Amino acid sequence: GAGVSQSPSNKVTEKGKDVELRCDPISGHTALYWYRQRLGQGLEFLIYFQGNSAPDKSGLPSDRFSAERTGESVSTLTIQRTQQEDSAVYLCASSPTLADYEQYFGPGTRLTVT
Amino acid sequence: AQRVTQPEKLLSVFKGAPVELKCNYSYSGSPELFWYVQYSRQRLQLLLRHISRESIKGFTADLNKGETSFHLKKPFAQEEDSAMYYCALSGRKAGNMLTFGGGTRLMVKP
């Protein structure tokens, strides 16, 4: 079946512009996660959704970051007024429920802020 | 706070040699530990988890709570094992979010 998909695969933007990253989880997966991976570093947790609810937003790096999810489907991560330090690969993952430890990852969106 | 450390960024071995990818963690509780792998041009995928105590593709990992380690081992490396390996921890908080180590690139030479 189809795995987690993300779009765009690559995004180059100018400093100060807003960007929107999209994640389509595996159908039926209620839990959805966003991570960020800066060059040469491990993955950094950003936010998770249970259904369309994000109970804990403390992992978001700044108030320029926000995320939404429509029902148990698509999620968007929005970065306003992008900065060069936002350049990274943004990964989305989903799992059937929060109790399932295996997370299925998407291919990621590579964001470059010039 | 939970933290995962992978001290080696790169590990290079010859085919048939034993492999040990190191992972140390800090967590004040009973964590769940995982190894994820990313092969070239593929997405990140789960390799194994400590609770299942299984061997996947010849790899095993034992959780050592005394040393707070979860090293990944394979007795005889194969060229197809070349990949990025990430150790991860779930502290059963924040919806089972994962804390990842920085990753180790394993290169298996012919």
Side-chain angles (χ1 to χ4, degrees):
Chain A
V4 177
S5 61
Q6 292 185 248
S7 61
S9 56
N10 279 286
K11 176 72 176 178
V12 180
T13 190
E14 292 180 352
K15 177 181 172 181
K17 300 283 189 183
D18 297 352
V19 295
E20 191 172 276
L21 312 180
R22 177 187 170 108
C23 171
D24 281 274
I26 294 172
S27 178
H29 281 196
T30 62
L32 185 147
Y33 306 81
W34 283 98
Y35 296 87
R36 175 171 74 173
Q37 185 174 29
R38 288 173 162 156
L39 187 63
Q41 299 184 22
L43 281 74
E44 173 191 4
F45 169 75
L46 299 179
I47 192 169
Y48 82 95
F49 286 88
Q50 169 60 26
N52 62 2
S53 173
D56 182 358
K57 300 181 180 179
S58 62
L60 294 175
S62 75
D63 58 9
R64 296 185 295 103
F65 286 71
S66 63
E68 291 183 344
R69 187 178 185 194
T70 306
E72 294 183 354
S73 184
V74 173
S75 176
T76 55
L77 178 69
T78 301
I79 309 173
Q80 295 178 311
R81 305 181 302 282
T82 52
Q83 303 294 313
Q84 288 187 332
E85 62 262 27
D86 299 334
S87 296
V89 176
Y90 289 82
L91 288 163
C92 175
S94 71
S95 63
T97 69
L98 285 182
D100 288 281
Y101 288 108
E102 180 165 4
Q103 296 181 18
Y104 298 82
F105 282 82
T109 292
R110 182 176 298 277
L111 175 65
T112 303
V113 182
T114 61
Chain B
Q2 51 196 61
R3 186 179 181 90
V4 177
T5 303
Q6 294 179 249
E8 304 143 325
K9 284 194 176 295
L10 174 65
L11 184 62
S12 183
V13 301
F14 284 102
K15 176 182 174 181
V19 170
E20 183 179 52
L21 298 163
K22 291 184 167 52
C23 172
N24 289 88
Y25 68 91
S26 62
Y27 181 71
S28 56
S30 295
E32 300 291 346
L33 274 296
F34 308 84
W35 277 97
Y36 277 78
V37 60
Q38 188 168 27
Y39 300 102
S40 179
R41 287 184 288 277
Q42 294 187 26
R43 59 188 67 189
L44 196 63
Q45 58 187 286
L46 178 67
L47 179 62
L48 55 79
R49 67 191 81 181
H50 92 271
I51 55 174
S52 58
R53 298 181 179 275
E54 56 194 346
S55 173
I56 302 293
K57 298 183 179 182
F59 285 97
T60 59
D62 291 319
L63 179 61
N64 186 323
K65 293 185 178 180
E67 297 183 357
T68 60
S69 68
F70 188 56
H71 304 327
L72 184 67
K73 300 177 183 179
K74 184 170 183 176
F76 308 103
Q78 303 299 313
E79 289 181 67
E80 56 265 30
D81 296 329
S82 296
M84 280 294 296
Y85 290 81
Y86 295 94
C87 183
L89 175 155
S90 174
R92 304 190 187 190
K93 297 178 181 177
N96 285 332
M97 67 90 157
L98 296 169
T99 298
F100 284 86
T104 298
R105 178 170 296 282
L106 174 64
M107 293 180 58
V108 181
K109 298 176 286 188

